[in-house]
Amino acid sequence: MGKNQDEEEGNLSHNTKAVISLDERFVMQTYSRFPVVPVRAKGVKVWDCDGKEYIDCVSGIAVLNVGHRHPRILKVLKEQAEQLMHISNHFYIEQQAKASEYLAKIAPKPLEKTFWGNSGTEAVEAALKLAIKYTGKHEFIAAQGSFHGRTMGALATTWNEHYRAPYAPFGINAKFVPFNDLQAIKEAVSKDTAGIILEPVQGQGGVNIPSNGYLEAVRELCDEKEILLIFDEVQTGFGRTGKLWAGEHWNVVPDIMPLAKALGGGISSGACIAKEEIAKAFDHGAHGTTFGGNPLACALSLEAMKIVVEENLSERAAELGKKAVKQLKELKEDLEIIKDVRGIGLLIGIEVSKDAKKLCLEMIKKGILITYTAEKVIRVIPPLVIKEEELEKALNIIAEGFKQH
Ligand SMILES: Cc1ncc(COP(=O)(O)O)c(C=O)c1O
């Protein structure tokens, strides 16, 4: 934050200023944050430290599909915390087994076996390691605009050969090809390709939706060349795009599917589910983690998955998303500042020609939490439990924010 923060962002309260000052002093400054200090939330509403109310159009970046503090999540949180929060993967964990069973039930068939971690990047790491272990190859094809996480190097610096050797040499060899370009993927495949990793719909890349036929053809290519298809559904999974899995829009089933974000219902949880035959490559000691799959995270993951299914949140996302995209496209007709509107379910991107951060700040001041990605794409990703009138209100604030510029 610069010196003229108040002038740029409106008069900040003493509380907000105090938290910002602590953050700047003691937190590594890796995030460019908006000057809001949320302290409480319920459903789709969030309140900051001054009592100001917001409609959440961020969902903790596609985490809170079931909304903040869903009563069923709170109940399980309390009950499980009173019994057992953490133990160790050296023992059998009932909640992990049950959450895996349920995930296998709702995942695209025949994905069946799960490895549990704590985050999206860990889920992707597990997927890449599994693909290396299964194929014995190290090259991956990924898409331009992709986002799969930020880990690096921990295993490369782990001394014990037992953990390290099956995956060495380190540094994944990734070839990047334009998203939605089948020919480019075909040309990138080599004898060393272990797999192709794609987000079926790119999230951080700016909400990029592939053309019909692309993912289907990539699946065929993988089958023909005997390479693995990894769909990173960390952001798109659990109903966000209007289907339980984004791959379902095109009836394409990957071989391995990393998941996280909405999985834990608000608590960190990650999972990598794969076909049985591939999953076998992860034998004893092949991968592991201290916290992944702990009883609390798994009890909550199971409940969050059930809520998404039992409350038909995919269908809700499809229906509400369609209306929102229609409305935003109409707005685009009137406003030059909006360059494009892309949406699938409640994963919506509004590409703008002006400073997206400034626009978000305006909208935040008017009472919604909203962020942007890929520099110029404002993302609307509310909890899937949002009521129609709440979404309407949020869209009105977005429209007002645009009209002011
Ligand atoms: C598609 C995708 N994969 C992986 C990740 C990384 O997840 P995490 O931030 O939980 O490590 C993200 C995060 O935004 C994501 O959108």
Side-chain angles (χ1 to χ4, degrees):
M1 296 288 157
K3 268 188 187 154
N4 296 326
Q5 187 176 296
D6 273 7
E7 282 161 45
E8 281 171 21
E9 294 163 351
N11 287 325
L12 301 178
S13 74
H14 172 73
N15 284 344
T16 305
K17 276 188 195 163
V19 174
I20 290 175
S21 147
L22 267 187
D23 181 287
E24 287 182 345
R25 172 77 180 84
F26 293 109
V27 179
M28 291 194 194
Q29 295 296 295
T30 59
Y31 303 103
S32 165
R33 304 186 201 262
F34 289 105
V36 179
V37 183
V39 291
R40 194 164 61 88
K42 179 86 188 121
V44 299
K45 297 215 172 114
V46 176
W47 291 270
D48 72 12
C49 61
D50 304 314
K52 183 174 160 63
E53 185 178 297
Y54 303 86
I55 294 174
D56 189 353
C57 290
V58 179
S59 300
I61 316 187
V63 166
L64 292 146
N65 288 10
V66 302
H68 293 269
R69 300 197 299 123
H70 192 291
R72 285 176 60 177
I73 292 287
L74 288 187
K75 184 167 181 284
V76 171
L77 179 64
K78 184 168 184 293
E79 283 171 2
Q80 188 57 47
E82 280 172 354
Q83 292 296 318
L84 182 70
M85 289 202 283
H86 180 73
I87 185 75
S88 160
N89 281 307
H90 283 297
F91 305 98
Y92 287 94
I93 300 174
E94 186 182 4
Q95 295 76 14
Q96 192 181 119
K98 286 185 170 165
S100 304
E101 179 195 27
Y102 192 81
L103 180 55
K105 190 173 133 193
I106 64 170
K109 304 282 166 289
L111 301 187
E112 191 177 42
K113 278 221 160 113
T114 297
F115 176 86
W116 288 83
N118 305 284
S119 62
T121 195
E122 281 180 58
V124 170
E125 197 86 1
L128 297 175
K129 283 182 73 177
L130 181 59
I132 291 172
K133 190 92 185 339
Y134 180 72
T135 61
K137 298 174 181 178
H138 280 255
E139 198 171 279
F140 290 87
I141 299 170
Q144 290 168 10
S146 62
F147 186 87
H148 298 296
R150 304 205 200 204
T151 45
M152 64 171 278
L155 186 58
T157 54
T158 293
W159 173 78
N160 193 329
E161 284 245 333
H162 175 68
Y163 302 129
R164 191 163 35 83
Y167 304 101
F170 292 97
I172 299 276
N173 185 6
K175 284 185 183 168
F176 291 98
V177 295
F179 187 59
N180 211 17
D181 182 338
L182 181 65
Q183 192 52 34
I185 280 207
K186 281 187 174 167
E187 285 166 16
V189 172
S190 80
K191 63 176 185 8
D192 300 319
T193 308
I196 297 173
I197 179 164
L198 293 173
E199 296 155 82
V201 174
Q202 290 189 333
Q204 302 297 99
V207 188
N208 303 317
I209 304 163
S211 316
N212 290 338
Y214 172 65
L215 295 175
E216 298 93 311
V218 173
R219 175 70 272 180
E220 271 175 32
L221 178 71
C222 288
D223 291 341
E224 186 195 318
K225 301 283 181 189
E226 295 185 348
I227 55 184
L228 299 177
L229 180 59
I230 303 171
F231 272 175
D232 177 346
E233 293 245 17
V234 165
Q235 183 157 155
T236 50
F238 305 105
R240 174 57 54 190
T241 68
K243 301 253 186 210
L244 201 48
W245 316 108
E248 270 185 74
H249 288 282
W250 299 277
N251 289 319
V252 178
V253 177
D255 300 298
I256 307 176
M257 190 166 78
L259 302 166
K261 290 202 186 268
L263 171 61
I267 207 162
S268 48
S269 181
C272 172
I273 187 165
K275 291 178 177 166
E276 161 86 36
E277 186 213 332
I278 299 164
K280 276 189 207 150
F282 265 2
D283 47 10
H284 286 176
H287 197 32
T289 154
T290 301
F291 283 114
N294 67 72
L296 188 62
C298 283
L300 288 166
S301 297
L302 176 58
E303 197 64 10
M305 288 190 279
K306 283 184 175 173
I307 296 169
V308 168
V309 171
E310 290 165 17
E311 293 192 2
N312 298 318
L313 295 186
S314 311
E315 290 80 354
R316 244 190 111 64
E319 207 177 296
L320 292 178
K322 209 180 263 177
K323 283 187 193 160
V325 167
K326 183 169 175 280
Q327 227 168 299
L328 289 167
K329 283 194 168 160
E330 282 164 11
L331 192 65
K332 173 181 173 279
E333 297 305 309
D334 300 334
L335 298 175
E336 237 176 59
I337 190 171
I338 302 179
K339 290 286 151 207
D340 195 16
V341 175
R342 299 184 285 273
I344 181 162
L346 283 172
L347 178 58
I348 301 170
I350 311 167
E351 191 171 328
V352 295
S353 59
K354 289 204 178 148
D355 187 333
K357 185 168 187 188
K358 251 192 190 156
L359 282 164
C360 286
L361 194 55
E362 282 303 321
M363 295 170 189
I364 289 170
K365 278 191 212 157
K366 292 179 192 298
I368 58 171
L369 293 186
I370 194 154
T371 61
Y372 65 102
T373 185
E375 287 173 31
K376 53 186 186 335
V377 181
I378 295 181
R379 241 183 332 179
V380 186
I381 35 178
L384 308 185
V385 292
I386 192 166
K387 294 193 187 89
E388 203 166 339
E389 57 271 24
E390 290 166 330
L391 184 60
E392 193 66 36
K393 195 171 163 194
L395 291 172
N396 286 339
I397 291 178
I398 290 171
E400 275 174 39
F402 281 132
K403 281 177 187 158
Q404 234 171 303
H405 280 263

